[in-house]
């Protein structure tokens, strides 16, 4: 029924499911874009399809990013003009509950190609300006804005509508400064990197570099201005200036006390060395477990994010093992924490020996470990790895007070693609580990 409805429409229609995969494309769509495709787009990922159609505009930002963003946010939008090859059309998007997202493409044959290209170029320029880290606005002779990009709104803490209702001079800490800048621009033709203090909507002051020049906008004589925030730089310079002043005062005092100066210099050097050592140790403690030397959850989490991104890009398989030691608590209760620490160190060494150097074995809790495996060829490859891991616990663990046998329960989860997050992947592996414990311990379970 859906196919019949789509085929009956006189404009191009594209249906995308909730996983952003193309599920249907009607004949008018194929007439518009078929020459740029190798067959039917059904089954393609939406971002791949739009990248193919928008390929000629990738360097300028193109229109595909805005369409993909609307789908991800499940946001409808009215007609937006796009160009692909020789085709220029208007596209409209609408989310559909429990189905996905529907695009309609309306050809605009009544416009000449140069006019279509000009409109596309204007749209691309606006997209570039809206993604610029520099605020851009065009101000008329009356002090009101004719154009402003997103960054200038962000800098001033105002919406575009609010900004249009204000005068350009309203945002200066000293309104007279703008008059001086305009006067300077009139004489010199332009102003470059003038340092000024501006005010946000909430009353907070910030520093910015202002550059401006005369500019004809739709036949009207205006001022084109660029605003780049430098608050951090100004505060840093002031901090450095205060530090220099304080240092100069200290030097004046120390010149009259040479012995004290030498002693303080020695103390400062010692403190610097200790600080460097402390920072190094803190960084090491943050990323590596002090007992086993294994990566901590923090470092493993970073590596997991990178591995998931790489797996998604290269369409390769990756998995995590969630390992919890069986019978470890009685070691601490019976022999003490020193014996428990020896067992944990030995367990860490045995597990590390079961995997490749590119894999990550980390300690994430008392007797809990997380193992990250990347570049797997197929799912069944984890079975011998899990068996090897469990076999590594077969020998008795020795410590100063004696020895004991412990085992391990292992939960295994595979990365499922874009729907997975590091937290969801670890959670599934953790649940699988508890299933292994329920089924008798010293075994593995796959989520």
């Amino acid at each position: 029924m859906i196919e019949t409805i789509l085929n009956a429409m006189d404009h191009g229609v594209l249906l995308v499911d909730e996983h952003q995969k193309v599920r249907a494309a009607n004949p008018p769509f194929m007439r518009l874009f078929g020459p740029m495709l190798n067959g039917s787009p059904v089954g393609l990922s939406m971002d791949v399809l739009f990248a193919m159609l928008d390929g000629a505009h990738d360097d300028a930002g193109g229109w595909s990013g805005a369409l993909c963003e609307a789908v991800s946010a499940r946001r409808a939008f009215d007609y937006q003009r796009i160009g692909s090859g020789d085709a220029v059309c208007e596209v409209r998007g609408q989310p559909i509950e429990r189905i996905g997202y529907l695009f309609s493409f309306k050809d605009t044959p009544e416009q000449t190609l140069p006019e279509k290209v000009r409109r596309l170029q204007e749209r691309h320029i606006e997209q570039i300006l809206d993604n610029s880290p520099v605020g851009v606005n065009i101000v008329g002779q009356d002090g009101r804005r004719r154009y402003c990009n997103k960054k200038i709104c962000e800098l001033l803490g105002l919406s575009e509508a609010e900004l249009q209702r204000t005068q350009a001079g309203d945002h200066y800490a000293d309104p007279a400064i703008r008059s001086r800048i305009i006067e300077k621009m009139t004489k010199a033709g332009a102003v470059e990197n003038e340092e000024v203090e501006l005010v946000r909507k909430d009353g907070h002051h910030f520093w910015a570099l202002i550059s401006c020049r005369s500019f004809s906008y739709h036949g009207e004589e205006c001022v084109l201005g660029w605003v780049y925030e430098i608050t951090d730089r100004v505060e840093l310079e002031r901090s450095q200036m205060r530090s220099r002043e304080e240092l100069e005062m200290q030097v004046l005092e120390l010149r009259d006390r040479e012995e004290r100066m030498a002693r303080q210099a020695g103390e400062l050097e010692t403190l610097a060395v200790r600080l460097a050592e402390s920072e190094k140790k803190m960084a090491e403690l943050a990323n590596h477990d002090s007992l086993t030397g294994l990566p901590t959850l923090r470092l493993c989490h970073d590596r997991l994010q990178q591995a998931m991104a790489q797996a998604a890009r290269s369409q390769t398989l990756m998995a995590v093992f969630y390992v919890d030691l069986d019978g470890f608590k009685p070691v601490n209760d019976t022999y003490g924490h020193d014996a428990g620490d020896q067992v944990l160190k030995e367990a860490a060494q045995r597990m590390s020996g079961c995997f490749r150097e590119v894999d990550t074995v980390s300690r994430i809790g008392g007797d809990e470990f997380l193992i990250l495996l990347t570049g797997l060829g197929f799912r069944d490859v984890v079975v011998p790895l899990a068996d090897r891991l469990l076999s590594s616990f077969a020998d008795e663990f020795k410590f100063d007070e004696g020895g004991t046998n412990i085992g391990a329960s292992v939960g295994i989860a595979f990365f499922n693609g874009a729907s997975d997050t590091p937290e969801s992947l670890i959670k599934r592996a953790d649940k699988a580990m508890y299933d292994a414990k329920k089924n008798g311990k010293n075994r593995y379970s796959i989520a």
Side-chain angles (χ1 to χ4, degrees):
M1 181 179 64
I2 292 176
E3 182 177 1
T4 301
I5 293 173
L6 295 184
N7 290 342
M9 293 182 178
D10 60 356
H11 54 270
V13 178
L14 188 73
L15 182 63
V16 178
D17 66 16
E18 293 180 333
H19 302 291
Q20 300 186 7
K21 296 284 187 180
V22 176
R23 289 307 176 203
N26 70 349
F29 177 89
M30 295 304 297
R31 285 195 293 272
L32 277 172
F33 303 111
M36 287 161 280
L37 302 174
N38 294 321
S40 172
V42 174
L44 288 179
S45 175
M46 174 191 67
D47 55 353
V48 172
L49 172 62
F50 286 168
M52 293 168 62
L53 299 180
D54 192 23
H57 305 285
D58 282 347
D59 294 337
W63 47 261
S64 59
L67 268 60
C68 292
E69 180 183 356
V71 175
S72 298
R74 296 195 61 76
R75 183 179 70 250
F77 62 89
D78 287 327
Y79 285 109
Q80 175 180 323
R81 199 174 302 280
I82 67 170
S84 178
D86 293 332
V88 178
C89 60
E90 293 179 337
V91 58
R92 184 178 184 181
Q94 178 68 43
I96 302 177
E97 193 68 28
R98 295 191 302 276
I99 294 180
Y101 204 92
L102 185 72
F103 290 99
S104 64
F105 299 83
K106 181 180 179 182
D107 193 12
T108 55
E110 72 281 0
Q111 298 188 45
T112 64
L113 183 59
E115 172 65 13
K116 296 179 182 180
V117 172
R118 185 186 67 80
R119 290 180 178 273
L120 286 173
Q121 289 174 339
E122 289 180 354
R123 176 59 181 165
H124 293 157
I125 291 172
E126 290 180 2
Q127 289 176 341
I128 292 171
L129 290 177
D130 276 340
N131 287 281
S132 170
V134 179
V136 181
N137 60 179
I138 300 173
V139 182
Q141 297 293 328
D142 58 0
R144 296 192 178 276
R145 288 172 177 80
R146 303 299 187 261
Y147 169 80
C148 55
N149 70 344
K150 290 181 180 179
K151 186 61 179 181
I152 198 73
C153 297
E154 176 187 327
L155 288 173
L156 296 174
L158 296 166
S159 67
E160 184 175 350
E162 291 173 326
L163 198 59
Q164 296 290 358
R165 292 195 294 269
T166 63
Q167 294 278 343
D170 296 343
H171 311 296
Y172 287 77
D174 181 0
I177 293 178
R178 182 176 186 273
S179 299
R180 291 198 292 270
I181 290 177
I182 297 299
E183 182 179 355
K184 182 177 178 181
M185 183 198 72
T186 303
K187 292 179 179 179
V191 172
E192 300 290 343
N193 296 328
E194 190 80 12
E195 191 172 298
V196 299
E197 187 176 13
L198 302 177
V199 184
R200 291 191 174 93
K201 177 183 178 181
D202 59 8
H204 283 81
H205 289 215
F206 68 99
W207 288 90
L209 290 178
I210 299 287
S211 298
C212 59
R213 63 183 65 243
S214 297
F215 181 72
S216 178
Y217 185 69
H218 295 306
E220 179 186 4
E221 192 65 23
C222 298
V223 175
L224 172 61
W226 296 269
V227 182
Y228 184 73
E229 184 174 2
I230 57 168
T231 303
D232 291 343
R233 195 198 77 183
V234 171
E235 291 179 351
L236 178 60
E237 289 174 350
R238 291 181 175 179
S239 176
Q240 290 174 337
M241 186 177 298
R242 289 194 297 268
S243 298
R244 282 197 298 270
E245 292 173 353
E246 293 172 359
L247 182 60
E248 289 172 359
M249 293 178 62
Q250 291 176 359
V251 169
L252 290 174
E253 294 176 359
L254 291 174
R255 283 177 179 172
D256 297 330
R257 303 174 180 84
E258 290 185 0
E259 292 183 0
R260 179 182 173 188
M261 180 178 177
R263 185 171 62 253
Q264 288 183 342
E267 291 174 354
L268 287 173
E269 184 177 355
T270 302
L271 286 174
V273 172
R274 291 173 59 188
L275 179 60
E277 293 176 348
S278 177
E279 290 177 345
K280 182 179 179 181
K281 186 175 181 180
M282 288 177 63
E284 183 68 20
L285 289 174
N287 292 318
H288 290 85
D289 178 45
S290 59
L291 176 65
T292 63
L294 294 178
T296 60
L297 178 60
R298 173 183 173 181
L299 180 56
C300 183
H301 193 278
D302 290 342
R303 292 183 180 178
L304 181 56
Q305 284 184 314
Q306 296 173 13
M308 291 170 66
Q310 175 63 29
R313 286 194 300 270
S314 60
Q315 297 294 304
T316 55
L317 187 64
M318 62 159 291
V320 294
F321 284 22
Y322 198 113
V323 182
D324 185 85
L325 301 185
D326 297 326
F328 174 74
K329 186 175 183 299
V331 176
N332 276 339
D333 295 343
T334 305
Y335 301 101
H337 288 284
D338 288 343
D341 289 347
Q342 293 180 50
V343 170
L344 287 174
K345 291 167 67 175
E346 176 65 22
Q349 292 177 359
R350 294 188 187 184
M351 285 189 285
S352 297
C354 295
F355 299 95
R356 306 166 299 176
E357 291 186 3
V358 296
D359 300 325
T360 298
V361 179
S362 61
R363 183 187 179 198
I364 61 173
D367 62 345
E368 295 179 324
F369 299 82
L370 193 68
I371 302 167
L372 170 61
L373 306 174
T374 60
L376 303 178
F378 47 90
R379 286 178 174 259
D380 290 346
V381 75
V382 300
V383 173
L385 294 175
D387 290 336
R388 185 191 306 170
L389 174 63
L390 295 176
S391 297
S392 70
F393 286 83
D395 294 336
E396 185 181 33
F397 284 78
K398 301 288 187 180
F399 42 86
D400 295 342
E401 292 79 4
T404 188
N405 288 100
I406 65 172
S409 295
V410 183
I412 303 173
F414 292 95
F415 174 53
N416 286 337
S419 62
D420 248 337
T421 64
E423 291 75 16
S424 65
L425 185 57
I426 294 174
K427 185 175 181 180
R428 287 192 288 108
D430 183 22
K431 184 179 182 302
M433 179 273 292
Y434 277 105
D435 290 340
K437 281 190 177 293
K438 290 178 182 178
N439 292 326
K441 301 182 179 181
N442 198 34
R443 65 189 62 225
Y444 65 87
S445 176
I446 299 177

